[in-house]
Amino acid sequence: LGGTWDLAAGDTLRLRAQLERTSGNLRLQADDDGSGLMSAGVREARISLSADGPDLSASMRWDSERAGQVNGSFKSRLQRQGDGWAWPEDTPVTGSVRARMPRLGVWSALAPPGWRLRGTLDANATLGGTRGAPQWRGTLQADELAVRSVVDGIEFRQGKLRASLDGQRLDIQEFSLQGASGAAAGGGLLTVKGFVLWPPADGASASGPMGLRMELNARADGLRVSARADR
């Protein structure tokens, strides 16, 4: 990685900063069985931040041959306070995120030891509102989701997610996972619908940790819970 920065903080703020890939690549787990690695084929990885007086902007870009693409942008404004600059909670913010991630076993890095995760992700969202009350709008879509732990007998596959963001609310229109197929029967199906709600901007607390509220309805239809014959 290589970086540059240039800052002038006087009567007028001027900032240019950037961190980017200069050479090299990443080797990622190709599938959920941990049997092979592959080159990500990184073409570009960059984060930039700039300020011209009160105008603040940032961008990020990840582009690779086999590990997906992510593009993001962000804009807001600073306010002069005394000898410095501040970013009040009521300052408007705008931005966008577009991500396409292919099926990779690299998601297993987010799971406990011995667990394997897999799936694709397609996300498209825009940001509005203020710093204190950001409002996201967009869609999340995932396919070929799978989770497995051989020791615990957990094996779900052929998962699908369809969800939308609206302000401080995530609506789950469809989430499903198939159970592992047994010797004599299929693995059945688990489906979930519902929503997740962020705490409101004025600080009023809803029920749940940190003001988070969820309502989820789950249905299991012939679901094979354990993939181990001894359980």
Side-chain angles (χ1 to χ4, degrees):
L1 298 176
T4 61
W5 64 276
D6 185 8
L7 172 66
D11 294 336
T12 301
L13 178 64
R14 292 286 184 270
L15 170 64
R16 297 288 185 276
Q18 181 168 282
L19 180 67
E20 63 181 338
R21 166 191 175 269
T22 57
S23 63
N25 216 319
L26 295 176
R27 292 174 62 81
L28 304 175
Q29 187 173 304
D31 210 337
D32 64 338
D33 60 2
S35 61
L37 296 175
M38 70 174 189
S39 170
V42 179
R43 292 184 284 247
E44 185 177 4
R46 173 173 46 83
I47 298 176
S48 300
L49 177 66
S50 65
D52 289 302
D55 296 321
L56 178 68
S57 64
S59 66
M60 66 168 293
R61 178 172 172 79
W62 165 268
D63 182 26
S64 67
E65 183 181 357
R66 289 178 291 274
Q69 296 83 36
V70 180
N71 289 285
S73 63
F74 173 83
K75 291 184 179 181
S76 188
R77 289 178 64 87
L78 303 174
Q79 289 186 12
R80 188 66 185 267
Q81 290 187 358
D83 295 332
W85 295 85
W87 192 22
E89 288 194 357
D90 60 352
T91 305
V93 296
T94 60
S96 65
V97 175
R98 183 76 173 95
R100 288 186 176 182
M101 308 301 290
R103 169 177 160 171
L104 283 174
V106 68
W107 303 117
S108 297
L110 305 176
W115 287 72
R116 295 289 182 263
L117 300 178
R118 183 184 68 208
T120 69
L121 174 66
D122 194 330
N124 190 2
T126 59
L127 174 65
T130 64
R131 183 181 76 85
Q135 303 289 311
W136 287 97
R137 285 179 172 79
T139 58
L140 298 174
Q141 180 174 315
D143 291 290
E144 299 182 67
L145 297 174
V147 56
R148 184 178 66 165
S149 173
V150 176
V151 173
D152 298 296
I154 303 298
E155 185 175 352
F156 299 110
R157 56 190 176 81
Q158 296 298 315
K160 179 189 294 187
L161 172 66
R162 298 293 184 269
S164 61
L165 289 161
D166 186 7
Q168 293 170 297
R169 179 183 174 113
L170 173 67
D171 283 301
I172 302 173
Q173 289 93 21
E174 179 183 4
F175 176 70
S176 62
L177 284 171
Q178 293 184 14
S181 299
L189 184 67
L190 173 69
T191 59
V192 179
K193 293 183 179 181
F195 70 86
V196 180
L197 188 64
W198 283 245
D202 58 10
S205 177
S207 60
M210 302 297 292
L212 191 69
R213 181 185 170 203
M214 295 187 296
E215 288 188 12
L216 302 175
N217 296 313
R219 176 184 174 88
D221 186 4
L223 183 68
R224 188 169 187 237
V225 177
S226 177
R228 286 181 50 168
D230 61 341
R231 292 188 178 181

